[in-house]
Amino acid sequence: MATWDATTVIMLKRDKEPLPAEAIKWFIKAYTDGVVADEQASALAMAVFLNGLSDDELTVWTQAMIDTGVRVKHTGIGLPLVDKHSTGGVGDKVSLILCPLIAAIGGMAMPQLAGRGLGHTGGTIDKMESIPGWHPEMSPEAMKAALLDVGAVIAAASGDIAPADKKLYALRDTTGTVASIPLIASSIMSKKIAGGTEYLVLDVKVGRGAFMRNVDDARQLAETMVGIGNRAGVKTSALLTRMDQPLGRMVGNTLEVDESVETLAGNGPRDLVEVTVALAEEMMALAGVPGDPRQVLGSGGAMDKWDAMVRVQGGDPDAPRERANYRQEVLSPRSGFVTYMDALNVGLASMRLGAGRTRKEDAVSFGAGIEVLKKPGEAVEIGEPVLALYADKEPRFAGARELLEEAIAYGPEAPPALPVVIERVT
Ligand code: URA
């Protein structure tokens, strides 16, 4: 490999010159190895933020991130390996339902490597850890056995999946360079491709509670990620889905497990079921597997798979889960309809109640969170509860209430019910 120096690479991107493949490969590896300094990597991240990456640069950039770690190979499973990734939303517990659903449909195996929450969106691993005894660590052998026995598994991504991304993401978080389509796309796709899936469906969230606030940006992010996946040999497609209000009625770890279990029992809220079924259909279309996910969701088969998935990782699906010590309500100031509920503020309020973390090292409170008693479109009477808030410590309520004051709008008429799935990107 040619020898490069960081300043030359930064200046090329600063001046909108094409980056040679060797320069990208050298930079990503050298940064991961500590040869390139944080300030140099942040200068390049800012240059990419401002000037973008071409398709060729992005392909090499993503592969270079994958090459800093391992690319998992699940051998001997004998089924198409499918996965989904969400760009993150409020109340997004879809993975908890989709994994057992896919296992129940059969003909596919779903090894999902998930993460913890940071900021206003929750993390799948935090939610699963609210189940007593459940642990996210799995050896490759244990994962293979679970895939063969059950058909799906949710596990923590190990440190050797795209280590460049861990470093770069932390740096972007502090240098104003998170909201860049090529940087988000390469970050997500390097981890997903390294995770060893063959078919990938992306759930790209759009709206107030999402990274992408409008459909055009979300579509561009989706097209960018679909392009990276397909060029890397992973058959990839995406759905753009609405994230203006929380998905379902529960936000918080234990609360979201409760709602997932209800959904697996066939009693899920309309929006959550719609997204989950649409993603399942998309995965089945990619992998060429027939079936009716909506029917399977109501049949009890997905619940049996959930129990098996939880038990394989030490959890007891029947054990009582941690609950918050305190509950307060937010009451409606008028009669009429809820017309709007700001997902971002609900997510941030849930974090302030203790359900999420502002720093990586924070612990989460499993019982904390928010229950949406009245969703947009539903009628309310003056003084009726709209939200129930849960926290372990009483002083946490004030900060959450402050955020929620402006988060809900009321009116004399119900707003039109919009479909949750906006469009498909292939
Ligand atoms: N999620 C990721 O994994 N990476 C990003 O850059 C943004 C969201």
Side-chain angles (χ1 to χ4, degrees):
M1 193 188 284
T3 303
W4 286 84
D5 66 274
T7 320
T8 304
V9 183
I10 295 164
M11 289 192 297
L12 282 174
K13 187 41 73 183
R14 180 198 66 188
D15 297 339
K16 304 187 180 147
E17 299 289 340
L19 289 182
E22 292 304 320
I24 296 173
K25 289 185 209 166
W26 175 84
F27 196 101
I28 299 280
K29 178 167 184 339
Y31 178 53
T32 311
D33 294 345
V35 173
V36 163
D38 277 350
E39 59 270 23
Q40 294 173 311
S42 72
L44 184 61
M46 184 56 83
V48 170
F49 184 97
L50 296 171
N51 295 331
L53 290 175
S54 69
D55 280 354
D56 286 348
E57 288 172 337
L58 191 56
T59 302
V60 175
W61 184 288
T62 308
Q63 188 59 47
M65 303 236 292
I66 296 169
D67 291 343
T68 60
V70 297
R71 185 165 174 173
V72 177
K73 248 192 146 11
H74 299 281
T75 50
I77 307 291
L79 292 169
L81 296 166
V82 297
D83 199 1
K84 82 102 194 181
H85 179 83
S86 155
T87 56
V90 176
D92 183 359
K93 69 275 298 167
V94 167
S95 288
L96 277 61
I97 308 156
L98 190 57
C99 284
L101 175 59
I102 290 293
I105 292 165
M108 302 164 277
M110 181 163 176
Q112 167 136 110
L113 299 180
R116 294 178 196 281
L118 188 63
H120 75 280
T121 64
T124 297
I125 296 295
D126 293 325
K127 293 169 200 180
M128 293 299 292
E129 278 181 337
S130 70
I131 301 166
W134 188 89
H135 62 83
E137 292 80 26
M138 287 200 101
S139 66
E141 298 74 32
M143 194 145 182
K144 180 172 178 178
L147 287 173
L148 288 171
D149 281 358
V150 183
V153 66
I154 294 174
S158 73
D160 46 14
I161 297 277
D165 180 64
K166 267 201 187 67
K167 250 185 119 170
L168 195 57
Y169 192 51
L171 187 75
R172 287 166 54 214
D173 212 20
T174 57
T175 56
T177 50
V178 169
S180 148
I181 287 178
L183 292 179
I184 295 175
S186 53
S187 164
I188 290 174
M189 293 305 291
S190 62
K191 287 175 285 198
K192 282 288 146 182
I193 296 166
T197 192
E198 295 165 335
Y199 301 91
L200 176 64
V201 176
L202 300 159
D203 180 4
V204 178
K205 302 283 184 198
V206 191
R208 264 288 288 174
F211 268 116
M212 297 294 134
R213 298 290 167 90
N214 64 64
V215 173
D216 287 345
D217 288 347
R219 187 182 298 119
Q220 206 190 325
L221 177 61
E223 284 170 358
T224 306
M225 291 195 288
V226 167
I228 294 173
N230 286 325
R231 288 195 294 276
V234 175
K235 210 166 164 196
T236 307
S237 68
L239 297 181
L240 308 189
T241 69
R242 228 173 278 281
M243 181 35 69
D244 289 309
Q245 56 164 300
L247 191 58
R249 292 186 184 273
M250 301 292 194
V251 182
N253 301 296
T254 298
L255 291 170
E256 291 192 42
V257 172
D258 295 347
E259 190 168 50
S260 301
V261 171
E262 274 299 299
T263 305
L264 289 164
N267 306 317
R270 182 193 62 84
D271 56 351
L272 179 59
V273 171
E274 189 183 324
V275 175
T276 308
V277 165
L279 289 165
E281 283 170 349
E282 195 60 35
M283 291 164 97
M284 294 161 73
L286 285 186
V289 172
D292 178 358
R294 199 176 281 275
Q295 188 271 326
V296 174
L297 197 51
S299 73
M303 183 72 95
D304 293 343
K305 289 292 184 183
W306 163 261
D307 280 2
M309 272 177 65
V310 169
R311 287 186 200 285
V312 158
Q313 280 163 269
D316 179 352
D318 303 321
R321 295 184 281 277
E322 197 177 299
R323 303 285 154 187
N325 296 326
Y326 298 96
R327 179 182 191 275
Q328 290 192 2
E329 290 175 342
V330 172
L331 307 181
S332 174
R334 57 171 285 180
S335 296
F337 290 87
V338 176
T339 55
Y340 180 71
M341 186 171 288
D342 180 335
L344 175 61
N345 277 22
V346 172
L348 291 170
S350 171
M351 190 179 82
R352 286 194 182 176
L353 289 167
R357 48 171 80 76
T358 48
R359 292 172 313 159
K360 277 208 308 288
E361 49 286 355
D362 292 347
V364 299
S365 154
F366 291 130
I370 296 177
E371 183 177 358
V372 181
L373 302 168
K374 297 285 179 186
K375 298 261 287 178
E378 293 178 341
V380 276
E381 296 296 328
I382 185 166
E384 211 182 342
V386 178
L387 301 177
L389 315 183
Y390 298 90
D392 283 333
K393 298 187 182 120
E394 262 188 314
R396 285 190 175 270
F397 287 108
R401 282 182 171 279
E402 204 177 272
L403 285 167
L404 293 169
E405 247 157 47
E406 303 292 313
I408 308 166
Y410 303 87
E413 282 170 32
L418 299 172
V420 191
V421 179
I422 301 169
E423 69 184 49
R424 177 166 181 256
V425 175
T426 53

